[in-house]
Amino acid sequence: QGHLVESGGGLVKPGGSLRLSCATSGFTFTDYYMSWVRQAPGKGLEWVSYSSSGGSTINYADSVKGRFTISTDNVKNLVFLQMDSLRAEDTAVYYCARTSVKWFGDLLGWYFDLWGRGTLVTVSS
Amino acid sequence: DIQMTQSPSSLSASVGDRVTITCRASQSISSNLNWYLHKPGTAPKLLIYAASSLQSGVPSRFSGSGSGTDFTLTITSVQPEDFATYSCQQSYSTPWTFGQGTKVEIK
């Protein structure tokens, strides 16, 4: 079935950096894409980034492009999110999410089929 | 970016009630629509993918329908463990976007 555990969250000052990790287990890591999704206090969910297992296909939300970097370790089955130049608006719970891709007839569907419990990032002076 | 709008933002229901949540996309997204359940402090859970496909292990009281711009999540007989926040998400084009969430509370 699978299991995801995020770590690395904490309190950081504006302009600072933080590196989140996601430990995965119970599934074949290289069969999936992996994503980061966040939820700011009182707000809805926001997709942040996704990566293929080898890192050949990566995409970012405009709100983090140029500041955040997603990467994977296919040996240890880990996913990382390096967050630089952090802003107050980056304050959120960050979730790691396994991302499945499947053809439904002529429709290519993407969906987050396994999530971690999240790690809280607070950006404040 | 594709905007996803859910209604209602919240609702109260009794155990056994039929609950319907709607999600509207700002442009056609074909059937690229997923539904999630989320409780505070826990991992979100996939319920429905590709608008109407039930995720493995999810009870059959959950169902999804729709295509294009209008979608519906239905719980035929809401159970105590179903009281949570439900979010729709489009995967038609990046940035993938979510609705603001619908909180289902006990009446």
Side-chain angles (χ1 to χ4, degrees):
Chain A
Q1 178 75 343
H3 196 51
L4 306 176
V5 179
E6 303 92 338
S7 60
L11 175 62
V12 60
K13 289 181 168 53
S17 298
L18 214 53
R19 188 194 198 205
L20 305 184
S21 299
C22 172
T24 76
S25 61
F27 61 95
T28 303
F29 186 76
T30 50
D31 284 350
Y32 296 89
Y33 285 68
M34 295 298 298
S35 298
W36 288 95
V37 178
R38 67 184 181 183
Q39 185 169 31
K43 303 289 188 181
L45 294 163
E46 178 189 16
W47 167 75
V48 172
S49 178
Y50 75 71
S51 174
S52 58
S53 60
S56 60
T57 304
I58 287 176
N59 206 338
Y60 297 98
D62 284 348
S63 58
V64 306
K65 197 172 293 183
R67 300 187 299 123
F68 290 11
T69 304
I70 190 171
S71 61
T72 62
D73 181 331
N74 289 5
V75 175
K76 297 181 178 179
N77 298 340
L78 295 167
V79 191
F80 303 102
L81 187 68
Q82 177 66 40
M83 304 186 296
D84 298 320
S85 303
L86 282 161
R87 307 166 180 166
E89 55 264 35
D90 296 318
T91 295
V93 175
Y94 284 73
Y95 297 97
C96 176
R98 189 178 73 181
T99 307
S100 285
V101 186
K102 187 175 178 180
W103 282 102
F104 302 93
D106 60 352
L107 175 74
L108 185 62
W110 299 71
Y111 47 95
F112 308 120
D113 64 352
L114 181 68
W115 298 64
R117 296 182 67 172
T119 186
L120 175 63
V121 172
T122 303
V123 184
S124 174
S125 54
Chain B
D1 298 2
I2 299 174
Q3 308 302 317
M4 306 300 294
T5 304
Q6 288 182 235
S7 61
S9 297
S10 65
L11 65 90
S12 296
S14 299
V15 173
D17 283 354
R18 181 184 182 93
V19 168
T20 299
I21 300 168
T22 63
C23 180
R24 174 163 288 177
S26 60
Q27 66 183 74
S28 178
I29 58 170
S30 186
S31 296
N32 287 90
L33 190 284
N34 309 312
W35 289 98
Y36 303 90
L37 172 157
H38 190 197
K39 299 179 183 180
T42 69
K45 178 181 176 181
L46 174 68
L47 299 172
I48 302 286
Y49 60 94
S52 60
S53 296
L54 189 68
Q55 170 67 351
S56 175
V58 173
S60 58
R61 63 180 179 272
F62 291 93
S63 65
S65 64
S67 66
T69 60
D70 294 309
F71 301 86
T72 300
L73 174 71
T74 301
I75 312 172
T76 53
S77 175
V78 70
Q79 298 302 299
E81 61 268 30
D82 301 338
F83 292 98
T85 297
Y86 293 83
S87 296
C88 62
Q89 176 244 335
Q90 66 82 17
S91 60
Y92 181 80
S93 66
T94 56
W96 297 330
T97 47
F98 291 82
Q100 80 279 15
T102 296
K103 188 172 184 179
V104 177
E105 299 174 301
I106 300 175
K107 185 182 287 183

